[in-house]
Amino acid sequence: MEIKIGSLADSRYRITAHIGHGGMAEVYEGVDIISKKQVAIKVIREDVMVNIANLKRFENEAFIAASLNHPNIVKVYNHGLINGIPYIANEYVKGQTLKDIIEFRGNLHLDEVIDYMI
């Protein structure tokens, strides 16, 4: 399933951009039309969803992440279905990923690694 930029997902999230992907999901930038907050919407990929264990893993991630509350953990605002496909609406955190930094700069110094881990 392809989510179109500009579309309204789950009658709440206006999709504004495709921002990345991971092993299990595509990630979109969106705006919550109710709260006006910028969000990251993680949508499980259909090829991953065919394996029931992966589907359960994605659903567990949504429930577990939603129960966590810490300033260093991305907040989960909502989860549900978009056209029958599970999604998680997260706090949007702007910036580079650690992977991007390592690909651009190469290996990090030990002091930097410790700072990131802390």
Side-chain angles (χ1 to χ4, degrees):
M1 177 192 84
E2 182 179 330
I3 296 181
K4 296 192 183 313
I5 305 306
S7 67
L8 190 62
D10 204 14
S11 302
R12 182 164 183 170
Y13 304 103
R14 177 76 56 206
I15 305 300
T16 56
H18 180 263
I19 56 176
H21 63 273
M24 292 184 68
E26 296 293 328
V27 183
Y28 297 86
E29 178 182 334
V31 175
D32 183 332
I33 62 171
I34 296 170
S35 71
K36 308 297 185 220
K37 289 183 181 178
Q38 191 173 19
V39 294
I41 301 170
K42 188 177 190 179
V43 181
I44 192 168
R45 292 191 342 244
E46 287 184 90
D47 63 314
V48 172
M49 194 172 80
V50 296
N51 181 328
I52 202 74
N54 289 336
L55 184 57
K56 198 69 177 152
R57 191 174 296 121
F58 189 85
E59 291 171 350
N60 285 341
E61 177 185 339
F63 286 110
I64 291 167
S67 72
L68 301 174
N69 184 18
H70 189 276
N72 294 339
I73 298 175
V74 171
K75 292 175 182 61
V76 172
Y77 296 133
N78 198 4
H79 54 88
L81 299 173
I82 300 173
N83 300 329
I85 309 290
Y87 77 91
I88 304 170
N90 293 312
E91 172 184 17
Y92 180 83
V93 179
K94 191 172 179 129
Q96 291 180 304
T97 67
L98 184 56
K99 180 181 177 186
D100 292 338
I101 293 168
I102 292 170
E103 285 177 357
F104 180 74
R105 291 185 31 209
N107 292 335
L108 302 175
H109 295 286
L110 181 58
D111 292 344
E112 291 174 295
V113 172
I114 291 169
D115 284 342
Y116 284 125
M117 291 190 64
I118 290 172

